[in-house]
Amino acid sequence: MAPSAIEEAVIASKMPPPKSYPPPKIFPAKESKFEKTIAIQRDGREKALARANENPVIVIDNGSFNVRAGWSFEDNPRFSIPPIMSKFRDRKAGKTYSFAGNDCYVDANSRSHIRNAFEQGSGVITNWDAMEHVLDYIFIKLGFNDIDGSVDWPIVMTEAVANFTYVRKTMSETLFECYGVPSVAYGIDALFSYRHNKGNTGLVVSSSHTSTHVIPVYNQRPLLAQATRLNWGGWHSAEYLLKLLKLKYPAFVNKLNSSQAEHMLRDYCYLSADYDNELRGYLDWTGLEDRDIVVQYPYTEEVVVQKSEEELARIAERKKESGRRLQEQAAKLRLEKLMKKEEELEYYKNLQTRIQNATNKKDVRRMLDAGEMKDEAALEKTINALDKAVRKAQTKDVGGDPEEDQQQPVFDLLDVPDDQLDEAGLKAKRQQRLLKSNHDARARAKAGKEAEKARIEEAKRLDEERREKDLEGWLEDKRRARAEALQKMKERDRLKQDLGNRKSLASQSRMKTIANLASDNPTKKRRRGGDDDTFGADDDDWGVYRTIAIGDNSDDEHEEEDLMASLKTCEQDLLLYDPGFTYEDTYEAQLDWSKSMLHAFTRGPRPFDPASAAELNQLHLNVERIRVPEVLFQPSIAGVDQAGLVEMAGDIVNQRLSGAIAGADRDAFLRDIFLTGGNTLFKNFEQRLRDGLTPLLPADTPLKVRRAQNAQLDAWRGAAAWSGSSAWKAATITRAEYLEKGSEYLKEHDLGNPVSTV
Amino acid sequence: MAAPTEAQLAHQKLLDELDLHSVHKTFRASSWRPNHRRNKNIKTILMDASRKEASSSVATPQDVSGSVTPMPTLAAPDSKDDGLSTSGSSTPANGADALPNNQNPNLSQASRSLSKLVLEKTLRQGAAASATGASTAPSVTYTNIESAPSLAHTRHYCDATGLPAPYLDPKTRLRYHDREVFSFIRSLPQGVAEQYLEARGAHVVLK
């Protein structure tokens, strides 16, 4: 039934009011890129020369995220660059280019050739060509290239905790033999940072780009045997975030890279103060607006040219004009044809009268030949045909329905017995019979159509009558019909799914049916015992072909449409007459995005418009914001089979320290838990560590967590302050010592690694 | 070929300016010829080290005279400041003296085998108590400072959304949060479920 205007109004009143949403906060996607050239800085060397008595030193914090280099008498490193190089040959220019640090990001070609000095996800240098490039870059920028000779200043360099002897040896070889430095000292970045922040006894928690260390320090001396490393740092977090985002937006895979993930991690991720509780409600609609971060990737908007009113009118006019011209041409053509036919008709009619008037058979023959006619009957037929065509053409031009006012054809010969007819008569009778059956069939179809119309009218009337008499029963029927439609849809979906699985019952029975159809003597028939194949006797037999057809066939779609349509009418009726049935109950409303948690996860708290290029290029960060940093505390989330940070620290404090130092005051360590490294910059880091450690310790244990003044730069600053001191003098390896004692030679000191076999 | 545009020329100029390859580096020793096989990854380094340890008689770094010189300052203030050392005699003055006095000096270099290493360790227990952190315990290496597997109970989170996951789909082995996520993971194309598992490190690795 077509809903009337009133019914539509009723339905509309039950629909929820259209919501409007404030524009979302959108952040652009960021990635590392080349910003500007770092100038060659000669002044540093000159200053150093002027202060030669203060033991100026070149300090290099050789980190896996950034290498920071500068002069020890300054407060800050001169520059900080990623430890990467890029070398490629430009075929067109016939020239080899190589870049280091941020310069590698200068264009797409150089970006694609980037190599990292460190092994992925570890603090171990494995690519020495890249390392040399980075060192070259540092020394050039520090102004050593235009002086003759080597890098004639002592070096202080940081290295990983428990660095491999091989790595240190290679570094010493490079520094002494390639660059000719007079001396070098190695130390651990986290300890330099702790020294800079005036730490004495405490637990140093250093979470950096490639790893997280917990190092107990007692009276400024690191207890490295008790130090522990968790193989998780900023790099791992970024990779994990990248992996999650690729899974979340499978269509977006090629646009994402790890540099962008790194920026997202830094800008939008934070540690949850209470992970499980916050997580549970993270995708709730209230407040999702604030928790959901929208990152916009660049996209090209499809330009839809807005045509002005005038232009539209002109286009419409042009269309109409051409249509009219076509119509005119057609009409003219028709008219010409008509005229020609009329002429022909005139001619044949003339001929006919002349033949009738003719007395002589020979004349008749001659006239017929002239008119290219076989006999008089043929002439008669031609005339009739022409007459009909002319009449039809005329009515068409006038606009009447040719079917309607067609006169009843004559069937006079049908009742005449055959033996009373001659040859021509019999032929005409046959023709009339054919005509008649045709005519009758058309009439029958018409009557059938009328009857169907009447039946639908009747059914509708009965339906309405029933509704008026027994509303409850009627509604009950509708509800049942709706439930059936839903059930059918569900079954169809299930079947579709089952057919995808080779082992499911549905596929197996389908295979059986196919085998049955293909075999010459179907098993079914034999079992029944009947020899005759009755396939096709029942129209439903053909349904077997529908059951074996899977995939995209139109039949399925039709069925789907039908189900949807019948569901829709049922729901319309219910909306109209059932006061308990609201818009919220309809199938459509239940499929709505606002009901879907997955929608909140992937598309945030707003409807998603797949046609909008802007929205297609948006990423939504929500659960990831706390999920990724949480790995540090629960490594099992990312499948790392190691204890988390809290467990590590608790183990050191509770178990290992008491064994390592007899009588050491455990509380002294707990009074100074020190956070350093870029990966500790997440919001709530101190709180999480404190909250995690408290339950592992006796009540009233003093617990103080502090952050480094600058988690990223303090290692360099600490190293700079240490250089030139007497401790440095004792720890540094001079060229003479290197030459005498070999490249593996190392002096142990309070800020460095112990000597190791590996 | 079209003539290079202004921007392309400028970019080419920038490339030439940034290029390190063409810069003649006077500070580098012209005689520097690095070993071509110096780029070793962690696995190779570890393998080489264990091979060296197995074949070489030089087992402990403390015995390689000259290769190590623990600073005197390392131990001296230790015994003074904290007063924790159990015996003053064990305070090492240098690498060779770090070993306890009762070690037989007659042991030749050649007899230093693994068994001696064990003996040495037991003998050095006294020295270990001197709490000179770094130099006491078995030498600290990159591999042995890794934190051990967790003993804590692991919580389960939904592989797709990250929310708490009380359920496990036996077919894909994915953990999921609710019915909606379940229908989502069941509609995943082939292989994607495995990628979800990989993010959690629970995927099947064929060797």
Side-chain angles (χ1 to χ4, degrees), chain A residues 95 97-98 107 119 126 128-129 132 136 145 166 178 229 231 276 596-597 639 642-643 647 661-662 745, chain B residues 11-12 16 19-20 24 26 28-29 38-39 41 66 84 142 145-148 150-151 155 157 180 200:
Chain A
K95 200 176 159 199
Y97 287 101
S98 70
D107 67 9
E119 176 153 322
T126 49
W128 290 96
D129 304 298
E132 247 184 65
D136 280 352
N145 204 24
Y166 173 78
C178 176
R229 183 184 71 235
N231 293 327
D276 279 350
S596 162
M597 191 205 59
Q642 283 190 293
E647 215 184 328
I661 307 174
Y745 179 66
Chain B
H11 184 70
Q12 192 58 43
D16 289 335
D19 181 28
L20 280 185
H24 178 65
T26 56
R28 286 172 67 110
R38 64 180 169 163
N39 288 349
N41 58 24
L84 287 173
Y142 188 79
I145 63 165
E146 272 190 15
S147 96
S150 176
L151 301 172
R155 292 198 199 87
Y157 298 104
E180 195 191 352
R200 175 156 58 89

Side-chain angles (χ1 to χ4, degrees), chain A residues 12 15 65 92 225 335 435 442 515 559 590 592 600 637 702 705 728:
Chain A
M15 298 283 247
F65 177 61
K92 230 193 288 164
L335 199 67
L435 258 174
R442 216 175 292 149
E559 206 179 330
Q590 269 158 29
D592 191 55
I637 292 181
V705 185
W728 165 74

